[in-house]
Amino acid sequence: MHSATLAINETLEARRAAGQKVLHLGFGEAGLPVPDSVAAVLAGAAGRNSYGPVVGSPAAREAAAGWFSRRGAKTGPEQVLFAPGSKPLLFALLLALPGDVVLPCPSWVSYAAQASLAAKRTIDVPIPAESGGVPDPRLLEQALGDAQATGARPGILVLTVPDNPTGTVARVEHVREVCAIAEKWGLVVIADEIYADLVHDGRAPRATDFLPERTVVTTGLSKSMALGGWRIGMARVPHGAWGRSLLNDLVGVASEIWSSLAAPMQAVACHVLQDPPELMRHVDRSRRLHAAVAQAAHAEFVAAGAVCRRPEAGFYLYPDFAPLRPVLAGQGIDGGAALAEALLERHGVGVLAGEAFGDAEDGLRMRVATSLLYGETAAERRQALECDDPVSLPWVASSLERLRGALHGLARQG
Ligand code: PLP
């Protein structure tokens, strides 16, 4: 089955191409232009046409080691593996590591789908009220015990800090507590940190601080640098013998599936991962833009009567329309899929129903990506990035106004 996020992107793009006016809130694309220096590095590396080592070039691994170390996780180049995106790395990890997969619920669409491709069971544990990306520590042990009693073998715990779909950052005590439980149960933690550079204010807690010897980190340049289509991802395995052996297993998978990250992309990684000042500024500005637009969209959902955690990182919201259940029932809307369909068909707004992230069918939640509101053209997006008050730009303001109209239409109709 086609991944729900990529599928909705294609559906919405096709509608736009057919001339329909659609507000695209369905896809987790960072929606920002490529910085000139990065485009220049890629152009200059076009002649690099060798496969190169499966793990990545020595220079790129060295740059990645410095990048992780500057962010608080001391790392040697031998702990790094590159790949065409972090998605294949997550799948390689699920193939290489034993046991079933414990997931926060809701969580990013591909974890459960990949676990199923790897013939693993998933154990869904609800997230805490405060923030997503981690299972509620008060529910985790019970869920592990129940899963074991039904024949599951929990082996892997996936954490997404900061989180997609909720756009929040797990509380440090929750990360600490779930890592302690992972240690007690012998679980390996996969820490998906792809949004770590996009915390609106402050830093995200890291599982590597609490369970360094059993945490594997995946990340990449798709979100912080908005380079999703360039497919640059990397993993960091723990220091020591277990990490080395896991890296070997990952290389086994990688060498049979993707061989290596495209050599010109490794040149890009090498440049970006050195954190040159102009790129630090670029990420800084994008963080500000994501925060401003996500907060403005959050206000619209809350004003329409939905409940929604405040956005803390990246460019997502996960509103819950449960308070409007009676009004929505009057329109024949009894679950997330019907809600998403009504928003698209009646109001021209594309979102992803909570079901794609593990919610029950009768839930009224949806994932809203706000990053495609920055503009239709590269020039508009560049302006949004440089503007101190991007929400006041005419094209951003008019998109938010359209959203307001759609949500009020939905909430009003009886
Ligand atoms: N992890 C999360 C939580 C994501 O949201 C995404 C992209 O949407 C990915 C991983 C995959 O990113 P990529 O394969 O582009 O590195």
Side-chain angles (χ1 to χ4, degrees):
M1 210 173 85
H2 202 149
S3 168
T5 48
L6 295 170
I8 190 161
N9 188 43
E10 288 170 27
T11 304
L12 297 182
E13 290 302 340
R15 285 185 180 224
R16 283 182 155 185
Q20 291 182 29
K21 229 173 160 265
V22 184
L23 196 60
H24 193 336
L25 304 174
F27 191 46
E29 174 109 55
L32 290 170
V34 178
D36 293 341
S37 75
V38 176
V41 170
L42 180 60
R48 297 195 191 178
N49 58 348
S50 295
Y51 282 99
V54 173
V55 284
S57 71
R61 292 178 96 197
E62 186 76 43
W67 185 90
F68 278 116
S69 299
R70 283 190 298 283
R71 283 158 180 75
K74 195 167 172 295
T75 304
E78 73 288 350
Q79 290 172 259
V80 177
L81 167 68
F82 279 93
S86 62
K87 202 187 238 187
L89 284 167
L90 286 161
F91 186 53
L93 282 164
L94 296 188
L95 291 176
L97 292 166
D100 293 319
V101 186
V102 185
L103 294 178
C105 184
S107 60
W108 180 52
V109 291
S110 291
Y111 304 134
Q114 289 192 347
S116 148
L117 289 173
K120 289 176 185 297
R121 286 169 60 165
T122 50
I123 301 145
D124 282 349
V125 186
I127 57 175
E130 296 88 335
S131 50
V134 289
D136 188 331
R138 287 159 301 192
L139 305 177
L140 180 55
E141 286 213 80
Q142 178 78 43
L144 290 169
D146 291 350
Q148 245 180 7
T150 64
R153 291 185 310 118
I156 303 165
L157 169 63
V158 178
L159 305 179
T160 319
V161 186
D163 184 38
N164 170 13
T166 63
T168 59
V169 182
R171 303 298 176 252
V172 65
E173 63 273 18
H174 292 157
V175 176
R176 184 188 302 118
E177 286 173 60
V178 297
C179 284
I181 296 169
E183 182 164 28
K184 182 170 155 195
W185 284 71
L187 309 180
V188 171
V189 170
I190 297 179
D192 182 342
E193 296 186 355
I194 194 142
Y195 296 96
D197 270 9
L198 293 183
V199 180
H200 298 166
D201 191 12
R203 290 184 60 168
R206 298 204 139 84
T208 42
D209 287 343
F210 303 113
L211 193 59
E213 64 289 352
R214 300 280 287 174
T215 298
V216 187
V217 179
T218 61
T219 186
L221 302 184
S222 296
K223 310 299 174 181
S224 57
M225 288 303 301
L227 293 177
W230 288 15
R231 314 301 304 123
I232 301 171
M234 57 189 180
R236 174 196 183 274
V237 299
H239 186 66
W242 183 78
R244 274 197 298 279
S245 140
L246 177 62
L247 191 91
N248 263 340
D249 292 345
L250 293 175
V251 166
V253 176
S255 64
E256 299 301 355
I257 302 184
W258 64 80
S259 299
S260 59
L261 171 61
M265 293 309 169
Q266 295 195 42
V268 170
C270 198
H271 171 64
V272 173
L273 294 174
Q274 291 178 58
D275 290 327
E278 92 269 16
L279 295 187
M280 296 291 272
R281 181 183 175 277
H282 177 85
V283 176
D284 221 52
R285 304 237 32 134
S286 47
R287 203 181 285 126
R288 268 182 17 168
L289 173 61
H290 297 318
V293 177
Q295 274 160 24
H298 175 262
E300 299 299 347
F301 280 93
V302 171
V307 288
C308 187
R309 294 175 181 86
R310 287 186 62 77
E312 297 171 329
F315 34 77
Y316 302 113
L317 302 171
Y318 204 66
D320 186 349
F321 281 74
L324 297 177
R325 190 175 285 281
V327 181
L328 295 173
Q331 300 170 45
I333 298 170
D334 54 2
L339 179 58
E341 190 185 319
L343 266 173
L344 182 58
E345 299 300 341
R346 299 181 206 165
H347 303 284
V349 175
V351 298
L352 257 188
E355 254 176 274
F357 302 89
D359 271 2
E361 279 177 24
D362 64 351
L364 288 172
R365 302 197 288 187
M366 61 176 77
R367 206 268 323 255
V368 175
T370 52
S371 48
L372 295 178
L373 300 179
Y374 304 155
E376 293 288 327
T377 63
E380 284 182 352
R381 292 192 285 266
R382 235 177 254 280
Q383 220 176 312
L385 193 63
E386 291 302 328
C387 182
D388 286 335
D389 182 17
V391 170
S392 68
L393 289 169
W395 54 93
V396 180
S398 76
S399 290
L400 287 165
E401 208 174 294
R402 249 194 97 198
L403 175 64
R404 185 177 318 140
L407 295 178
H408 284 278
L410 195 68
R412 245 195 341 263
Q413 282 173 25

